[in-house]
Amino acid sequence: MAGLAESGSNPDVDLLYDINGLAKDAPPWFDRVMEFVGEYGLLLAIVLLVLWCWWSVRRRGEEDAASSVAALVWAPLAAGVAVLVNVPIRGFVERPRPFLDHQGLEVLVTGKNDYSFVSDHATIVMAMAVGLFVANRKFGLVALVLAVFGGFIRVYMGVHYPTDVVGGFALGTAVALLLSPVAMALLTPVARAVERSPRMGWLVRARGRGVGGDTSDAVLPGARSERAGASERDLAA
């Protein structure tokens, strides 16, 4: 393999050289695109997916809208919790960035002098993707594909070993799934309270689909027949 002389028999480093070698063969403009996508683009794309899913949930206004919105709120919160969990892990392992220990890498981003394991980017995107999958499988599957691609790009950029990315995926998944029951138990009542609020209810359900506050415009079963019946009684009187 391309990095065999540098890495010995370490498959982690071998794979690093193979994937990062693609950056050497790519045109400069493509590397700039991959740099932007790896640093900001994919994270932004997953955030937009969460917002799109929230917009879809509130417009449908289904009975479980509050629990769905609570699950969507948990997605970014899970990413934040996972990053906090990663702080002591990185300090304990103290693994240097790969370009500090291995020569000949094509490093697309400068200034990465913190520790390498576990990858914060991989942790964040996977935690959000798994959290979104818990809320909605269709949107979640798209986010999972983006998260995996994002991990590949971090190695392509020369700033992480493959195991840094795998560790980030594992950490993000574990936090999003293991803490999900506790998060839902705390966030669902809050979402239901917001749903009943006359001012904030639109965050959970679109106007006209709420279950609390002013429901004069809501389409509720039997509402039309009751109003019609009342009008007929008034006319008969």
Side-chain angles (χ1 to χ4, degrees):
M1 292 184 178
L4 189 58
E6 294 287 339
S7 64
S9 60
N10 187 337
D12 191 25
V13 182
D14 290 342
L15 190 57
L16 164 68
Y17 273 100
D18 286 340
I19 295 176
N20 180 254
L22 300 174
K24 291 185 177 181
D25 299 331
W29 67 264
F30 184 80
D31 283 346
R32 299 289 78 78
V33 171
M34 293 291 276
E35 175 189 345
F36 174 80
V37 172
E39 281 287 289
Y40 312 106
L42 287 177
L43 178 58
L44 176 61
I46 294 178
V47 170
L48 291 177
L49 277 176
V50 173
L51 293 175
W52 185 4
C53 187
W54 162 75
W55 186 262
S56 176
V57 166
R58 66 174 292 275
R59 282 182 63 87
R60 288 199 307 268
E62 297 175 352
E63 293 297 327
D64 61 344
S67 59
S68 296
V69 170
L72 290 171
V73 172
W74 169 236
L77 289 179
V81 172
V83 169
L84 291 177
V85 173
N86 190 29
V87 172
I89 294 176
R90 298 184 79 161
F92 177 77
V93 177
E94 295 186 346
R95 186 183 200 182
R97 295 279 182 172
F99 54 81
L100 296 178
D101 289 339
H102 304 282
Q103 301 298 319
L105 292 174
E106 184 76 9
V107 183
L108 303 186
V109 180
T110 59
K112 299 288 185 179
N113 297 319
D114 55 341
Y115 294 123
S116 182
F117 185 91
V118 176
S119 168
D120 276 338
H121 273 78
T123 300
I124 291 171
V125 294
M126 186 55 72
M128 291 191 66
V130 172
L132 182 55
F133 183 81
V134 170
N136 185 288
R137 290 188 177 182
K138 180 177 69 174
F139 285 93
L141 284 174
V142 176
L144 288 171
V145 172
L146 292 178
V148 172
F149 182 55
F152 171 85
I153 294 179
R154 300 304 291 177
V155 181
Y156 178 97
M157 294 165 61
V159 295
H160 280 294
Y161 294 95
T163 49
D164 297 338
V165 171
V166 173
F169 287 166
L171 177 59
T173 300
V175 169
L177 290 182
L178 294 179
L179 298 183
S180 178
V182 176
M184 291 300 295
L186 296 174
L187 293 173
T188 300
V190 175
R192 287 175 179 163
V194 172
E195 183 182 23
R196 293 190 296 268
S197 171
R199 294 185 178 181
M200 304 296 291
W202 63 272
L203 291 170
V204 178
R205 290 175 185 259
R207 289 186 178 182
R209 298 178 183 271
V211 297
D214 183 9
T215 60
S216 58
D217 295 329
V219 181
L220 300 176
R224 179 177 300 175
S225 61
E226 290 176 2
R227 288 196 296 267
S231 299
E232 291 174 0
R233 288 193 296 271
D234 290 341
L235 290 175

